[in-house]
Amino acid sequence: DILDESVSTDPGVIVPNRQPRITNVNYKLAIIGEAPGADEVHQGIPFVGFSGQQLDRFLSRFGVLRDACFIGNICQHRPIANRIAAFDWTGPEIQQGLLRLASDLDKFQPNCVLLLGGSALHAFKDPTTIPRKKRTPDGMTFVYSSSISDWRGSFFRSSMAAPKPEVKCIASYHPAACLRQYEWTPLLMLDIKRAFDAARSPEIVHPLRTLLVGLSFEETVHELDKLIGTRLPIGTDIEGYWNCISCISFAPAPNYSFIVPFTKLNGESYWSLDEEVIILRKVSQILGDPHLPKIWQNGLYDRFCLQYGLRMITRCSTEDIMLKHWELYCELPKSLATQASIYTDEPFWKYE
């Protein structure tokens, strides 16, 4: 929000969290930000400045009543220059703010908490880790163990040490950050819609998937044989480069897939020579089947590596989810992680 030093930054001045004024709705959504700015201190209400007005527009777009939501911050004091890192994470401003937030959330009992920005994410996901500070051209900033760009759009249970333990959470970009980098705005709107839908129940329903890894030679051959001659579409993906493809996966169903490894971590062949010949022939037969539809994620790269590196020609490539996503939201990142955060309930997995 606007920096106005005529408005107090005295640590004794707080902007209290706000309980919902409307309670006869079928959702219980808490929206948590970082700290108040000048407008918030002036009015004594969180999220009323430029970023708060932006948030209000997004909420109304999806039919969310602001007055039916809990609105608060992890810190109720305005930091100097609106930089949360002006405070120490272990200092009284943030720690007392977290205690107030814990008490207020315990009274509200949300079904879902929408965490806006890295500070709110850290407070609920890694609250026992003290973030280090880093000097940037704009001033001091915290370096958090969990990046908001990684975790936004993912549902997870908060830490037992969080202001509200074991509550369903979803993180997104802070509206103030979207004002500075407008390309994040569509992601924030998508996350608000997901949080609103999720706030009707405290449960998290993650996809149940059967992912087969470490199969024996006989089991791998059995899985490949089941695909040969079928006509149902399969998802497929490789790992590695044209000169060293480490594995390929096949998914004949949304909740079932298996891995066919080619090399070990040290670069040696995973199979004996005779086993490798059999497996490569079966994989090539599946990829080259003109009647077996294949679904890719950036398949141009995969197909080039397979043909240039292993001389495997792919036929019947019917769909590419990266290209479909690009057609829908050409302004958004095209990574698989971004797509999963929008179209699925699969939580962020890259940290594993």
Side-chain angles (χ1 to χ4, degrees):
D1 291 322
I2 296 175
L3 177 60
D4 182 0
E5 295 304 336
S6 66
V7 179
S8 175
T9 56
D10 184 341
V13 177
I14 68 168
V15 177
N17 303 313
R18 196 172 180 88
Q19 295 284 350
R21 298 164 60 186
I22 299 174
T23 57
N24 60 336
V25 293
N26 64 347
Y27 55 91
K28 299 196 72 176
L29 177 62
I31 302 173
I32 309 299
E34 184 176 85
D39 294 306
E40 285 76 15
V41 172
H42 180 71
Q43 298 187 41
I45 302 173
F47 280 101
V48 293
F50 284 157
S51 62
Q53 295 168 27
Q54 181 91 316
L55 176 64
D56 290 350
R57 285 192 289 270
F58 296 155
L59 292 175
S60 63
R61 178 168 182 166
F62 298 111
V64 186
L65 298 175
R66 176 190 167 111
D67 284 343
C69 300
F70 177 98
I71 307 290
N73 288 298
I74 66 164
C75 176
Q76 289 85 49
H77 300 281
R78 181 193 175 199
I80 296 174
N82 294 342
R83 307 288 297 188
I84 188 71
F87 299 135
D88 291 330
W89 189 265
T90 55
E93 297 86 1
I94 293 179
Q95 291 304 311
Q96 290 175 10
L98 292 173
L99 289 175
R100 291 190 186 96
L101 181 61
S103 175
D104 292 340
L105 286 176
D106 188 61
K107 183 185 300 184
F108 177 56
Q109 293 296 322
N111 288 335
C112 182
V113 178
L114 174 60
L115 305 170
L116 299 178
S119 300
L121 172 62
H122 187 82
F124 279 76
K125 194 169 192 316
D126 306 300
T128 58
T129 302
I130 301 175
R132 65 182 178 89
K133 292 186 179 183
K134 177 183 178 182
R135 187 174 299 280
T136 70
D138 296 327
M140 296 298 292
T141 184
F142 283 124
V143 179
Y144 298 117
S145 51
S146 296
S147 167
I148 190 70
S149 61
D150 288 338
W151 279 95
R152 59 132 300 275
S154 287
F155 288 106
F156 63 92
R157 292 285 179 192
S158 61
S159 164
M160 288 300 297
K164 182 63 178 173
E166 291 288 289
V167 69
K168 177 168 59 176
C169 298
I170 183 172
S172 191
Y173 295 111
H174 196 286
C178 293
L179 288 172
R180 295 189 294 269
Q181 291 190 244
Y182 189 76
E183 63 268 24
W184 291 344
T185 301
L187 293 170
L188 172 58
M189 289 193 290
L190 290 166
D191 294 337
I192 289 174
K193 175 64 166 60
R194 300 189 76 197
F196 174 46
D197 294 338
R200 292 173 172 82
S201 166
E203 303 301 322
I204 296 181
V205 181
H206 287 315
L208 297 177
R209 307 189 193 278
T210 301
L211 310 176
L212 304 181
V213 298
L215 298 178
S216 67
F217 170 72
E218 291 76 14
E219 292 169 333
T220 302
V221 169
H222 175 68
E223 291 295 331
L224 291 171
D225 283 340
K226 289 194 296 184
L227 299 182
I228 295 175
T230 62
R231 296 294 181 268
L232 296 177
I234 58 171
T236 185
D237 186 49
I238 70 164
E239 290 296 330
Y241 306 95
W242 68 267
N243 59 348
C244 184
I245 300 176
S246 59
C247 64
I248 189 170
S249 65
F250 293 106
N255 59 349
Y256 185 91
S257 72
F258 64 95
I259 291 287
V260 181
F262 296 142
T263 64
K264 299 178 182 179
L265 292 177
N266 61 7
E268 296 179 357
S269 177
Y270 193 90
W271 313 100
S272 70
L273 180 58
D274 291 339
E275 291 172 341
E276 186 171 5
V277 169
I278 293 172
I279 287 177
L280 288 176
R281 283 177 173 170
K282 290 183 180 294
V283 169
S284 182
Q285 183 178 353
I286 292 169
L287 293 174
D289 189 337
H291 304 294
L292 178 55
K294 285 75 172 190
I295 303 170
W296 301 91
Q297 155 70 19
N298 191 18
L300 182 63
Y301 172 82
D302 295 53
R303 295 194 299 273
F304 164 77
C305 290
L306 288 164
Q307 184 162 350
Y308 193 72
L310 295 178
R311 303 297 189 266
M312 291 184 181
I313 296 176
T314 302
R315 296 183 176 90
C316 200
S317 296
T318 57
E319 297 185 65
D320 191 309
I321 61 173
M322 187 189 77
L323 299 181
K324 283 192 164 186
H325 167 70
W326 202 354
E327 288 287 340
L328 284 173
Y329 300 109
C330 60
E331 75 277 19
L332 296 184
K334 299 183 290 296
S335 69
L336 184 60
T338 299
Q339 293 174 56
S341 73
I342 295 173
Y343 306 119
T344 79
D345 290 326
E346 197 73 47
F348 177 64
W349 69 90
K350 293 290 187 180
Y351 73 100
E352 298 176 344

